[in-house]
Amino acid sequence: MTTEAILVKLEEIKGIGLHGLEAIETLEYLEEWRVAYLGRRSQLAQLLRGLSSLSFEERRLVGARANETKALLEQSLLKREEILKEADAALLSTKEEMDITLPGRPVPLGRLHPTTQMVREICNAFVSMGFQVVEGPEVEWDHYNFEMLNIPKDHPARDMWNSLWIDYADEDGERTMLLRTHTSPMQARIMEGMRPPVRVVVPGKCYRYEATDATHEWHFFQIEGLAVDEGITFADLKGTLYEFARRIFGPQRRVRFRCDYFPFVEPGVDMAIDCFACQGRGFLSSGAEEGCRLCRGSGWIEIMGAGMVHPKVLEGVGYDPTIYTGFAFGLGPERIAMLKYGIDDIRLFYSNDLRFLSQF
Ligand code: PHE
C-alpha cells in the first residue's frame, strides 16, 4: 500500500468508527466496537503492523497519523462509555423506582461484649501495676472452692455462696464438684503452683444458685486479685486498690474501707468509692428532696471485697505465714460497668438483646 492509500484508509477508519460509536446504546455493544476498532485484529492494528515495509520518512508520517487516530478512538470510547453508564444509572432509578443517591444499608458490625470490654479494662489497670493475668477452671473441686479457703464442710459461711453442685460423688457419697461460686479458688491453685512473689489477677465466670433480679445473676464474672510476698501490708492493699479506683472511675475518687467478713482473709474489708454521681454528698442538687439514686443517699458505693490473706490459707498451700503476707480482692466487672455506665439491671448483660449490647 502506498503512503497515500494508508492515510486515506486511516481517515476512513476514523470516520466510520466514530460514526458507529455514536449509534451504540449499550455497554455490551460498546465492547464489540472496541474489539472491532481497537482490538488486536482490527484494521487499525493491521495497518500499524504493515508500516515496517515503508521507508523511514514515510513511517514517521504515517505512524504519527495512525497513533493520533488510535488516541482519538480511545478517547471517544471512554467518553461514550461514561455517557452510557450515566444513562444506565438514570434508567435504573426510574425503571426500578429506586433512588440511587440514597446511602447504602450499613453492614452490622460485631464487637466485644460489654463484660469482656470491662474485664479487659480492669485487668489492664492491674497489669500496668505489675500484675499477671491468669485463668482457671469453671468446674471446681469443693477442695479449692471452699476447703483451701478456710471454709470447712458444714461451716456456716458456706451459706454466703449458694452453690450449683455437679451430680458427682466420691466413695463416701459426698458431692465434691461444683461450678465455682467465686474466683477465689484460684488463690490456692496459684500459690500451690509457685513460690512468692505472687502478683496475679484472675478474670473468670462464676455461678450461683440464685433467683435472678436487677442486681443478681446466676452466672456472672469476677476478677480475683492476689499479691503475696515478704512484708506486704494492709497499706499495700489500700494503695493498690486506691490506684485502681482512680484509673477506672477518675482521678478525683476517694475510697473507704470498712470491716467485712470473708473466711479466707483477716482482716477482711469491703471497699467503697465516693459516689461519682453526687460527689459523695448523697443528694444530686442542694435542697433536693430526693436522695442520690446511685448511692441511695449514702454517698458511698461498694465495689469489692478484699483483705489480708488468712494465715490458714497460706499454711494450706505451704507458705510460711511468719515470713509471707499478702492481700486478696474480688470484684464484679458487671457491677463496675453498671456503675460506670448507669446500667440499672444486671440481667441485660446476658439476655442477648442487641438494643443493649450495641450501645457499647
Ligand atoms: N470471693 C469473695 C466473694 O465472692 C470476694 C473476695 C475475694 C473477698 C477476695 C475477699 C478477698 O464474695
Side-chain angles (χ1 to χ4, degrees):
M1 246 201 239
T2 63
T3 312
E4 198 59 25
I6 294 176
L7 290 177
V8 169
K9 188 76 197 161
L10 275 175
E11 278 305 302
E12 190 186 304
I13 293 172
K14 186 163 86 182
I16 297 175
L18 291 179
H19 191 69
L21 194 59
E22 290 291 299
I24 287 176
E25 294 295 352
T26 72
L27 290 166
E28 243 180 330
Y29 286 137
L30 201 62
E31 174 59 13
E32 278 179 24
W33 182 93
R34 189 193 64 77
V35 173
Y37 286 92
L38 291 163
R40 274 194 299 123
R41 282 192 298 229
S42 62
Q43 283 186 311
L44 184 61
Q46 279 167 22
L47 270 186
L48 282 164
R49 274 197 292 274
L51 293 185
S52 50
S53 60
L54 299 179
S55 72
F56 179 73
E57 276 304 313
E58 288 171 322
R59 213 159 51 212
R60 242 178 42 155
L61 174 71
V62 178
R65 200 63 83 70
N67 280 332
E68 267 167 35
T69 306
K70 191 172 171 213
L72 180 69
L73 289 177
E74 279 168 353
Q75 279 164 17
S76 308
L77 172 69
L78 286 181
K79 257 188 230 151
R80 188 74 199 154
E81 187 177 55
E82 206 171 296
I83 291 168
L84 289 184
K85 277 190 177 158
E86 260 168 37
D88 251 16
L91 191 68
L92 195 67
S93 62
T94 51
K95 207 165 72 181
E96 316 266 326
E97 288 179 1
M98 182 174 82
D99 182 352
I100 58 155
T101 64
L102 281 176
R105 290 200 187 97
V107 180
L109 284 182
R111 66 193 75 199
L112 293 176
H113 190 277
T115 304
T116 310
Q117 293 185 40
M118 199 69 235
V119 165
R120 290 194 182 178
E121 191 181 337
I122 293 169
C123 286
N124 284 341
F126 285 109
V127 164
S128 69
M129 289 189 261
F131 285 73
Q132 236 181 315
V133 181
V134 179
E135 286 180 304
E138 288 172 30
V139 179
E140 187 55 282
W141 298 106
D142 177 290
H143 177 74
Y144 287 109
N145 198 84
F146 292 126
E147 307 259 326
M148 293 291 280
L149 296 173
N150 194 28
I151 315 168
K153 294 224 158 43
D154 305 319
H155 192 288
R158 288 203 175 201
D159 294 347
M160 291 169 73
W161 297 276
N162 302 321
S163 311
L164 285 160
W165 293 90
I166 304 284
D167 194 4
Y168 170 87
D170 63 10
E171 302 99 67
D172 307 328
E174 293 268 4
R175 285 178 310 188
T176 49
M177 220 191 263
L178 73 166
L179 297 180
R180 68 176 172 197
T181 57
H182 49 178
T183 42
S184 300
M186 279 303 287
Q187 288 187 31
R189 281 180 177 272
I190 288 159
M191 288 190 284
E192 268 183 353
M194 68 186 287
R195 308 313 308 165
V198 176
R199 274 166 187 71
V200 290
V201 279
V202 187
K205 222 183 228 184
C206 305
Y207 303 81
R208 288 190 196 169
Y209 182 61
E210 200 105 55
T212 58
D213 64 27
T215 52
H216 295 87
E217 254 293 10
W218 66 275
H219 83 312
F220 52 90
F221 277 71
Q222 276 194 349
I223 298 176
E224 192 80 10
L226 178 69
V228 185
D229 203 350
E230 279 181 57
I232 288 196
T233 70
F234 197 84
D236 297 307
L237 177 155
K238 285 173 77 176
T240 306
L241 296 183
Y242 183 43
E243 181 58 24
F244 157 76
R246 288 163 49 106
R247 289 198 194 188
I248 301 294
F249 292 105
Q252 309 305 332
R253 293 286 64 76
R254 290 183 296 144
V255 293
R256 180 194 72 181
F257 292 94
R258 286 197 309 188
C259 289
D260 201 349
Y261 172 68
F262 301 96
F264 35 92
V265 286
E266 179 57 35
V269 292
D270 86 54
M271 173 180 159
I273 54 174
D274 61 329
C275 178
F276 46 87
C278 64
Q279 311 305 328
R281 287 174 303 180
F283 49 86
L284 283 178
S285 51
S286 51
E289 292 278 302
E290 222 189 320
C292 172
R293 287 249 297 260
L294 193 60
C295 62
R296 296 210 187 81
S298 75
W300 294 97
I301 302 171
E302 285 160 27
I303 60 168
M304 69 171 103
M308 299 304 290
V309 181
H310 199 289
K312 282 208 177 146
V313 175
L314 295 173
E315 261 165 25
V317 297
Y319 286 9
D320 183 345
T322 62
I323 300 177
Y324 298 111
T325 49
F327 65 83
F329 57 87
L331 57 88
E334 292 94 344
R335 177 164 162 77
I336 304 281
M338 287 169 79
L339 293 169
K340 198 168 169 177
Y341 301 113
I343 302 160
D344 58 10
D345 194 325
I346 194 172
R347 289 168 295 192
L348 286 167
F349 283 88
Y350 306 113
S351 41
N352 294 335
D353 188 334
L354 283 177
R355 287 169 301 180
F356 169 74
L357 296 175
S358 56
Q359 290 172 41
F360 296 92

